[in-house]
Amino acid sequence: MGERLGEMLVARGVCSAETRDHALALQREQPARLGGILVEKLGVAERAVAEALAAQLGTPALVLRESALLRKNVELVPAEVCRTEGLLPVDADELTVKVAFTGPPSSRLLTEVEFATGRQVVALVAVESCLKDRLRQLRETEGELLRGEAISPDARVPPGGHLVLIRPAPRAEDSVEIDVDMGPEPLPVDGPTWKTPPKPAEVPPAGSRPRVLVVDDVPELRAMVVRALSPDGYALAEAGTGQEALSQIQVFAPQLIVLDAMLPEVHGFEICRALKRSPAWQHIVVIMVSAIYKGWDYARDIQDVYGADLFLEKPFNVAFLRERVRTMLEARSATTGGAPGTRPDLSREIRDEAHTLLQMGDLPGALLACANGLTLDPFDARLHAIQADAYARQGHRQHAMVAYERALQFAPNSYPVLKNLALLYEQEGLRRRAAAAWQRALEACPDVRMRERIRARLLMELQT
């Protein structure tokens, strides 16, 4: 990757071939990313390297020396983790957190940052040496604002800080390819692309066996927990993925879930957060377990961020888990007497209202209706999609991306959502994510002609 970046910088006239070769020789002596060496040791401009990184990786790049960061955003992830993993949170709102990485982040790292911050990650790329300089500044200063070299001391900085971002330059073929046919797809309220979830099962009558759902993607661990709980007379059900867990929650109506934090398809911590934010589901006791997030518990209390009733690190004592299941079920039964009732058709009525408001152009009203509906049923893919469409029409692309991504968690083969998400990724300069979304859209597309257009688009991307 470093050699390709060096070739791009020489071709752009940013540095000479001799400077590039010198940087490569330094890189062999002391491993570091080539862009950081060029900026820190050989005086190449950070902005020029950032532009090349954005073009190479298809990801927006952050020019740190021209940016002002708020400490409250930077400290969303512990400083030691930032230094170890080579990352820096630079901005956040209630849904997303922008994080600068020194290279393409792994899915593991993205998941861990999402877990720690409770927000969806918007990944940026930054020059390694500049990111390390900011981390040193964080250690050495106590001020709220971490200023870049190009920010004057008396400059007026917006409340969220001041970020200088460079997005990958649009390609000429993109501007002619996105025509009316390739524009945002209308979002139907109903149709074959949506998996209609089953209605929640009836609340078990008083005196019936408590229902416990055990969710873990490792069959041996799942079986171990089931064996441990079986002697206590519970009605037990199992799930091995996030999608299976969502189905079981709606048809089995558990009163308690032993839930692994890291699951395929939909993460356990996202399921927990959705349950605990919904009046229709928040009565469910959630015991979250994890073998991965041991290092993050000091950064964010899982019980505060996601609402879990208990958090256990693997390996845990099975006898202790069994005792906690018993006492927590007894305590919940004594305080609630069962789950609160809700009209099964209420979320559908709200969804229809949100769709009508969207068609009328009342975007604030549509968003309010979506928020109300998702409070009742956080697993309604169509409501998430309508919310995303409203955000997109308002120009809030990042919030729209988050909502589309959540819709895909519950309707992974929805072609309209995949297509709209791919277009949003392209508009935000996220080419790799756009290509992945177009590939999924190709597989889900019901129209032969449109499949050929998407296939041609993907081939064009591979050739650039």
Side-chain angles (χ1 to χ4, degrees), residues 236-309:
L236 294 165
E238 302 178 41
T241 70
Q243 290 287 356
E244 291 177 9
L246 293 175
S247 296
Q248 288 282 24
I249 288 168
Q250 294 173 90
V251 300
F252 182 66
Q255 291 153 297
L256 183 145
I257 306 176
V258 180
L259 181 63
D260 189 21
M262 174 67 92
L263 293 170
E265 299 168 350
V266 185
H267 292 308
F269 55 83
E270 288 290 348
I271 295 174
C272 180
R273 175 163 57 185
L275 291 173
K276 291 304 184 179
R277 289 182 176 179
S278 169
W281 301 99
Q282 63 188 200
H283 65 282
I284 299 174
V285 178
V286 179
I287 299 177
M288 188 170 291
V289 298
S290 176
I292 297 175
Y293 298 118
K294 294 180 180 181
W296 292 90
D297 54 351
Y298 64 91
R300 274 289 193 272
D301 186 346
I302 183 65
Q303 293 169 271
D304 287 341
V305 177
Y306 296 105
D309 297 279

Side-chain angles (χ1 to χ4, degrees), residues 79-118:
E80 182 57 35
V81 175
C82 291
R83 286 191 291 272
T84 302
E85 300 287 1
L87 62 91
L88 186 67
V90 295
D91 192 20
D93 57 27
E94 69 277 10
L95 294 178
T96 64
V97 55
K98 291 186 178 72
V99 182
F101 298 88
T102 57
S106 65
S107 58
R108 172 198 65 82
L109 188 55
L110 286 173
T111 299
E112 290 187 357
V113 175
E114 289 175 0
F115 177 82
T117 62

